Amino acid sequence: MPNSEIQQWLALIKDFFLALAALSTIVISIYGIRTWKRDLVGKEVYSAAKELVKESHLICRAAQKIREPVQTYERRFFTENDIQNTTREERWKISEIDAYKARVKLFSKEIAKYEAAKLDLRILVGSKIYQDFLPLGALLTETVNRVNSYLDVIESDSINNIQQSEEVVRAQELLYPSSMNWSNGNGHFNERQ
């Protein structure tokens, strides 16, 4: 009979070690899944942050480009009939308005990409990212406001609203990046005196 008692104890010890092995496998699996998840989230955060940095650089470049003077290749082509039926100033005004409206359309697409990248990172990291990018958002808003102010001036039906008029020149000075300088790294535009 001692043999059967030993067999029972051996069976109990075997069951105990099997349960211990199963329990340790579960603990190791949970730890591995958590580590894998943390690593995966870290890679997603890195990828989203990298995309946001790229988009922020692209939107800054687009914000500078939208405020530059209209180049010859951006000007509207006028037919002979258009030239005969409009003055030089009217053609300039139409061409200027069309060029800036086209730029605003392209800029809107860039802003949409930037905002999407910011939202993706904000979802992963939290709303701190929103606060970190508020200064850039203020600069983008200022850029859009300057372009819209310029368009308001040249679209107005004022008699003095010609290419060399004082109000158009003043609006151009406020619009063009040459009238601005980037301050020493704190992220704010300062008017030149």
Side-chain angles (χ1 to χ4, degrees):
M1 291 283 235
N3 241 353
S4 71
E5 197 173 299
I6 292 175
Q7 285 179 347
Q8 286 177 348
W9 276 105
L10 286 176
L12 281 173
I13 292 172
K14 178 182 168 188
D15 289 343
F16 172 76
F17 281 118
L18 281 175
L20 187 62
L23 185 62
S24 63
T25 302
I26 290 171
V27 168
I28 291 171
S29 297
I30 290 172
Y31 176 76
I33 288 172
R34 284 186 179 170
T35 303
W36 173 74
K37 181 180 172 187
R38 199 174 317 120
D39 185 47
L40 185 62
V41 168
K43 286 178 182 176
E44 287 177 3
V45 168
Y46 172 77
S47 177
K50 181 179 169 185
E51 183 67 20
L52 179 58
V53 168
K54 180 187 94 171
E55 289 300 331
S56 67
H57 285 286
L58 291 175
I59 196 67
C60 286
R61 194 175 311 148
Q64 183 176 1
K65 184 172 175 28
I66 195 175
R67 294 183 52 216
E68 292 176 352
V70 174
Q71 302 297 316
T72 307
Y73 68 89
E74 295 177 291
R75 297 229 175 255
R76 180 176 172 180
F77 174 76
F78 291 98
T79 64
E80 284 296 321
N81 189 31
D82 291 337
I83 293 172
Q84 289 174 356
N85 295 323
T86 58
T87 66
R88 183 172 166 259
E89 291 297 330
E90 288 173 332
R91 288 191 302 275
W92 170 82
K93 183 177 179 177
I94 291 168
S95 182
E96 196 82 355
I97 290 169
D98 288 350
Y100 276 101
K101 285 191 176 183
R103 287 179 177 187
V104 167
K105 190 174 182 180
L106 291 173
F107 189 68
S108 298
K109 290 178 183 177
E110 289 296 323
I111 284 181
K113 290 183 207 173
Y114 164 74
E115 290 294 333
K118 188 169 71 171
L119 179 63
D120 288 345
L121 187 59
R122 186 176 179 190
I123 288 169
L124 294 170
V125 176
S127 54
K128 183 181 184 316
I129 197 69
Y130 176 77
Q131 294 169 349
D132 290 343
F133 278 86
L134 282 177
L136 179 58
L139 292 175
L140 297 176
T141 302
E142 179 66 21
T143 297
V144 171
N145 289 341
R146 287 177 186 255
V147 170
N148 286 334
S149 295
Y150 179 66
L151 285 173
D152 289 344
V153 167
I154 62 174
E155 285 181 324
S156 73
D157 292 330
S158 168
I159 295 172
N160 295 331
N161 189 5
I162 58 175
Q163 185 175 358
Q164 306 303 329
S165 73
E166 187 178 318
E167 59 185 0
V168 169
V169 171
R170 193 175 328 117
Q172 285 175 340
E173 287 174 354
L174 290 174
L175 174 66
Y176 297 154
S178 61
S179 67
M180 305 294 284
N181 67 6
W182 186 255
S183 66
N184 50 10
N186 65 2
H188 299 287
F189 279 117
N190 293 326
E191 292 287 338
R192 282 192 185 154
Q193 298 301 326

